[in-house]
Amino acid sequence: MMNKLILGRYIPGDSFIHTLDPRAKLIASFYFIGIIFLANNWQTYVVLAAFTFFAIFLSKVNLGFFIRGVRPLLWLILFTVALQVLFTRGGATYFEWGIFSITEFGVINGLFIFCRFVLIIFMSTLLTLTTPPLDLSDAIEYLLRPLKAVRFPVHEISLMLSIALRFVPTLMDETEKIMNAQRARGVDFGEGNLIQKMKAVVPLLIPLFVSSFNRAEDLATAMEARGYQGGEGRTKYRVLEWHLKDSFVMIAFTLMTVLLVYLRA
Amino acid sequence: MKPIIELNNIHFNYQPEDASPALNNVSFSINQGEWVAIIGHNGSGKSTLAKTINGLLLPAAGSIAVGGKELNSENVWDIRRMVGMVFQNPDNQFVGSTVEDDVAFGLENQGIPREEMLVRVKDALEKVRMDSFATREPARLSGGQKQRVAIAGVVALRPEIIILDEATSMLDPEGREEVIATIKKIKEESNLTVISITHDIDEAANANRILVMKEGQLVNEGTPEKIFSAGSELIEMGLDLPFPERLKVALKQRGISVPKEYLTEERMVDWLWTSVLKK
């Protein structure tokens, strides 16, 4: 189950991208999603694609991982592209049938949307492949810090996030164990029609919920025994350091924005 | 020897309508530097007792004093600083996402400056021989390793008392021995007081004193030699027979008269070869 999922996986390494500050990477990824909407002609898309592939090259991660990251969303992408191609009118018409038509503008729009999707997925996969989940949650906590002013529980949210991340593999293991235990008792997972399939999940879900409750209770007791009293007066073991190269990344993104604004039609 | 923990007539009930209380009139004291094992059947109140010592549970009646201070709702956090606890399930008490984060968790709670945390975390991991695993995630550790990390997390806080609440019960024999040896070493280095709640005979044999719980009451106490000489009654107390005792039972069944008092393995060997010589 876990092996197919590329989204949210981390590939250890020590490349330029790996050693960037997670805050820089997180800001850059969101910023990239923002500026991708500036692109509206082939020059701008070439610039963005070149930039993305250069970042992938810097990360030293195999391109295959990125392509596999796109795969689960492929149907969504194709569906959106197909809608664009079939329903956009304008320019030379190549084919017409009832409400459907394939036109010059439609094909170009479809291509642009395809590029947009792929580039966004590549960039966000690059973020998760090169950043350990824990660093990401540290970065999120840091970036949410201003929200403390409006009484947003930043410490609690980030603690929840890091505990959740820590328990993902543990719960995955447990799910596997319960599934096998139930299979040994004759439960068929993934067999039969929709209702039968849903019924088969019950003997998996209920034990999983119950054990999560027990885990939560044990964990809370252990945390309290180790002096956890909430976010007040706590120091931090992990620190994030902003280096010169993180600033360079920010400058590179600014320059690219300027270039895109200049090139766009 | 001054007592570091004193319990006076402790009563505790999880639900007020429960017929028999989880703890009923329990009193004892533990001296500084002592290793005390608490044994008893499942449901005899051992774990409840452990949780009352650091204020995770507040007794309905009676008083608890740790380090000369009487436990109340104001100083409960100070007392928790003195008492470190290691629990049963190695997975459920692992708070951090990596080994070093987990060891640092308790230190972060106490607001210890980062420079000192770095020193203490490294030091504690060296003590439990996990320093080469500092950046590992819990999913990639064995049960015994996780339990050693839990001990490191407690050791880093430099408590005066460590309570092991069935800390070895989910481990294989090898992991168990490792954990007990680690605790023993740390105890000798820093003059800790250790309270171990256990079903494991070897863990109990390491103690200076054994307390036996039954149905929420303290029914027996004494040195391991005294308790182990109870022979087959030990099984009723919730313990296995130690190996020399099992050997004695087997010899008795074969018509050989054996000494009544408890013998350690070495003394058993001594007795065996002298008795063979006598014949």
Side-chain angles (χ1 to χ4, degrees), chain A residues 155-156 159 162-163 219-238, chain B residues 56 77-78 80-81 83 85 87 93-96 100-114 117 120-121 153-154 156-157:
Chain A
H155 165 75
E156 281 76 9
L159 182 80
S162 69
I163 288 177
L219 187 70
T221 313
M223 283 170 71
E224 212 178 318
R226 284 163 75 181
Y228 180 74
Q229 289 181 76
E232 283 302 304
R234 269 187 114 228
T235 44
K236 283 192 73 83
Y237 179 71
R238 312 172 61 87
Chain B
L56 287 172
W77 292 103
D78 295 329
R80 275 181 203 161
R81 283 180 180 219
V83 186
M85 264 182 116
F87 295 92
Q93 58 180 316
F94 207 110
V95 187
E100 51 179 356
D101 288 307
D102 190 59
V103 176
F105 178 75
L107 300 170
E108 290 179 323
N109 291 337
Q110 295 194 0
I112 291 182
R114 182 160 185 271
M117 270 202 263
R120 283 216 210 171
V121 168
V154 165
L157 294 169

Side-chain angles (χ1 to χ4, degrees), chain B:
Chain B
M1 279 287 181
K2 66 173 186 207
I4 191 160
I5 298 175
E6 282 176 293
L7 271 74
N8 272 315
N9 308 325
I10 295 296
H11 279 271
F12 183 82
N13 238 351
Y14 282 100
Q15 249 87 46
E17 62 270 20
D18 277 358
S20 60
L23 290 177
N24 186 5
N25 203 23
V26 178
S27 308
F28 61 85
S29 72
I30 291 172
N31 291 325
Q32 194 168 11
E34 222 182 350
W35 182 317
V36 174
I38 302 178
I39 61 170
H41 272 300
N42 288 337
S44 59
K46 307 179 302 274
S47 295
T48 312
L49 188 64
K51 283 182 187 156
T52 56
I53 293 174
N54 72 350
L56 287 172
L57 297 173
L58 290 174
S63 67
I64 297 165
V66 179
K69 274 183 282 183
E70 187 162 323
L71 182 101
N72 54 40
S73 51
E74 271 135 53
N75 64 12
V76 64
W77 292 103
D78 295 329
I79 282 173
R80 275 181 203 161
R81 283 180 180 219
M82 295 177 61
V83 186
M85 264 182 116
V86 181
F87 295 92
Q88 183 174 18
N89 189 323
D91 253 324
N92 292 3
Q93 58 180 316
F94 207 110
V95 187
S97 308
T98 64
V99 167
E100 51 179 356
D101 288 307
D102 190 59
V103 176
F105 178 75
L107 300 170
E108 290 179 323
N109 291 337
Q110 295 194 0
I112 291 182
R114 182 160 185 271
E115 297 76 52
E116 199 186 332
M117 270 202 263
L118 291 172
V119 178
R120 283 216 210 171
V121 168
K122 196 166 164 279
D123 185 56
L125 283 175
E126 270 165 19
K127 273 194 176 139
V128 301
R129 303 185 313 282
M130 287 292 289
D131 39 328
S132 52
F133 295 86
T135 52
R136 288 270 188 108
E137 297 102 58
R140 291 167 62 206
L141 298 176
S142 74
Q145 288 173 331
K146 273 179 237 175
Q147 225 42 342
R148 264 153 58 200
V149 173
I151 293 168
V154 165
V155 168
L157 294 169
R158 308 207 171 134
E160 288 168 57
I161 303 157
I162 286 189
I163 301 179
L164 306 171
D165 188 355
E166 302 197 33
T168 59
S169 67
M170 289 178 79
L171 304 180
D172 57 9
E174 208 175 302
R176 221 178 259 202
E177 255 169 54
E178 251 177 17
V179 167
I180 296 173
T182 308
I183 290 277
K184 225 174 170 177
K185 197 184 88 191
I186 293 165
K187 180 188 181 296
E188 272 150 31
E189 281 168 5
S190 35
N191 190 34
L192 280 174
T193 308
V194 178
I195 302 174
S196 76
I197 290 163
T198 184
H199 289 285
D200 182 49
I201 193 77
D202 296 321
E203 210 177 314
N206 275 310
N208 304 115
R209 195 148 56 103
I210 294 180
L211 307 177
V212 184
M213 298 281 298
K214 194 180 179 186
E215 286 162 11
Q217 283 176 307
L218 193 65
V219 288
N220 204 342
E221 73 168 286
T223 58
E225 290 78 24
K226 187 190 154 213
I227 299 290
F228 290 167
S229 67
S232 51
E233 283 169 42
L234 279 173
I235 295 170
E236 274 166 51
M237 292 180 194
L239 269 187
D240 278 334
L241 287 184
F243 180 73
E245 282 297 324
R246 275 191 303 198
L247 185 62
K248 275 203 283 191
V249 172
L251 286 173
K252 230 180 191 169
Q253 279 170 354
R254 288 164 177 76
I256 298 165
S257 62
V258 288
K260 246 192 144 173
E261 77 271 15
Y262 172 72
L263 299 174
T264 58
E265 262 174 57
E266 292 102 75
R267 286 183 54 208
M268 190 76 196
V269 172
D270 280 350
W271 176 77
L272 276 173
W273 69 260
T274 49
S275 61
V276 170
L277 275 184
K278 272 181 210 151
K279 271 181 192 164

Side-chain angles (χ1 to χ4, degrees), chain A residues 121-191:
Chain A
I121 294 169
F122 274 15
M123 253 327 185
S124 49
T125 314
L126 183 67
L127 173 73
T128 54
L129 285 181
T130 61
T131 319
L134 198 60
D135 283 2
L136 267 186
S137 83
D138 281 346
I140 292 170
E141 177 178 9
Y142 184 88
L143 295 174
L144 287 182
R145 211 178 278 175
L147 288 180
K148 256 186 199 162
V150 289
R151 296 223 185 132
F152 185 79
V154 176
H155 165 75
E156 281 76 9
I157 297 281
S158 75
L159 182 80
M160 261 161 53
L161 200 62
S162 69
I163 288 177
L165 288 171
R166 173 250 169 280
F167 272 97
V168 167
T170 311
L171 289 177
M172 281 290 208
D173 277 355
E174 182 155 326
T175 311
E176 195 78 34
K177 244 186 247 169
I178 297 174
M179 269 175 107
N180 285 337
Q182 302 291 28
R183 275 195 195 111
R185 297 167 175 196
V187 177
D188 263 339
F189 291 104
E191 296 281 315

